[in-house]
Amino acid sequence: MHAAFDGWGEAALGQAAAELDVPADRARLAFPGGAVDMIDAWFACVDDEMAIRAPAPMLRARKIRDRITRLVAARLDTIEMHREALRRALAILAMPQNAGRAARLGWRAADRMWRLAGDTAVDLAFYTKRLTLAGVYAATLLVFMDDQSDNFVDTRAFLDRRIAGVMRFEKLKAQLKPDPDRMFSPVRFLGRLRYPAS
């Protein structure tokens, strides 16, 4: 709340500490990395709130596309009242020295969403799903930051279009995937030479 007005620094931390009756020096110990650690902690709270707003039993009744859309929407609902704090946070994370931390936070958000959606992938799909979702979420956040439409309908429409685009790509990829039964197999060929069909 205070970061929206004072930025992610000593002033905001001091005010939050005072409201919680925590000594300022102790509060500083909780965030040795300064602003980036505070942003990290806030994003972790957003993750937890998202899980509350989109509980697993509710998600299980939906298709996977709808689960992901609902989870992203739940994140947006959580940060809706804190867009200026988010703007300041993203500006800090966009600094070159924070690029690695920003990437880890984006990955963590995407991973949490996929896990809540019930993803059990363990192969290459585990990584591609998270990278794709992190990209969709990052692009959606940029639209969300300046969205002046009622109930953020422009952001939600953008999110729907991005997810629809990903689904079309995945469908095309599945269609283009070679059929192992129609590919040349040296082992199968040699087997047919040795045991020809009668």
Side-chain angles (χ1 to χ4, degrees):
M1 187 185 306
H2 298 297
F5 301 100
D6 300 312
W8 293 91
E10 290 286 332
L13 181 60
Q15 291 182 61
E19 288 176 0
L20 296 171
D21 292 325
V22 174
D25 55 348
R26 188 182 303 168
R28 279 192 295 274
L29 290 175
F31 306 105
V36 178
D37 279 1
M38 288 188 271
I39 293 165
D40 186 329
W42 180 45
F43 284 0
C45 290
V46 171
D47 287 340
D48 293 341
E49 181 63 24
M50 171 188 64
I52 293 169
R53 291 174 182 250
M58 180 191 79
L59 293 174
R60 277 196 295 269
R62 300 170 180 251
K63 294 181 178 179
I64 194 67
R65 171 183 175 169
D66 295 333
R67 292 180 200 177
I68 294 298
T69 302
R70 180 67 196 107
L71 285 161
V72 175
R75 291 185 76 85
L76 298 178
D77 291 342
T78 300
I79 57 179
E80 176 184 340
M81 300 301 294
H82 307 288
R83 280 200 295 175
E84 187 54 38
L86 177 63
R87 188 186 311 277
R88 290 172 179 255
L90 294 179
I92 291 170
L93 292 175
M95 294 176 180
Q97 66 268 29
N98 297 328
R101 189 72 170 272
R104 287 194 295 275
L105 291 176
W107 176 271
R108 186 177 75 191
D111 182 55
R112 185 77 184 269
M113 285 187 269
W114 271 115
R115 289 179 187 278
L116 287 170
D119 180 54
T120 57
V122 293
D123 55 2
L124 182 62
F126 175 89
Y127 299 98
T128 58
K129 285 178 177 182
R130 282 149 181 79
L131 287 172
T132 302
L133 180 54
V136 168
Y137 180 56
T140 303
L141 274 185
L142 294 177
V143 174
F144 174 73
M145 294 301 300
D146 296 314
D147 188 354
Q148 300 300 320
S149 62
D150 292 338
N151 200 28
F152 301 102
V153 293
D154 290 348
T155 299
R156 295 174 196 281
F158 176 83
L159 173 62
D160 287 341
R161 289 193 303 273
R162 289 300 301 262
I163 290 181
V166 170
M167 297 302 288
R168 280 195 302 273
F169 175 74
E170 290 297 324
K171 185 176 181 181
L172 176 63
K173 193 168 72 173
Q175 291 172 347
L176 296 177
K177 188 175 182 181
D179 182 353
D181 292 332
R182 301 182 73 179
M183 291 179 62
F184 175 74
S185 168
V187 174
R188 192 165 51 233
F189 176 72
L190 292 173
R192 286 180 182 162
L193 287 177
R194 184 170 181 182
Y195 304 106
S198 54

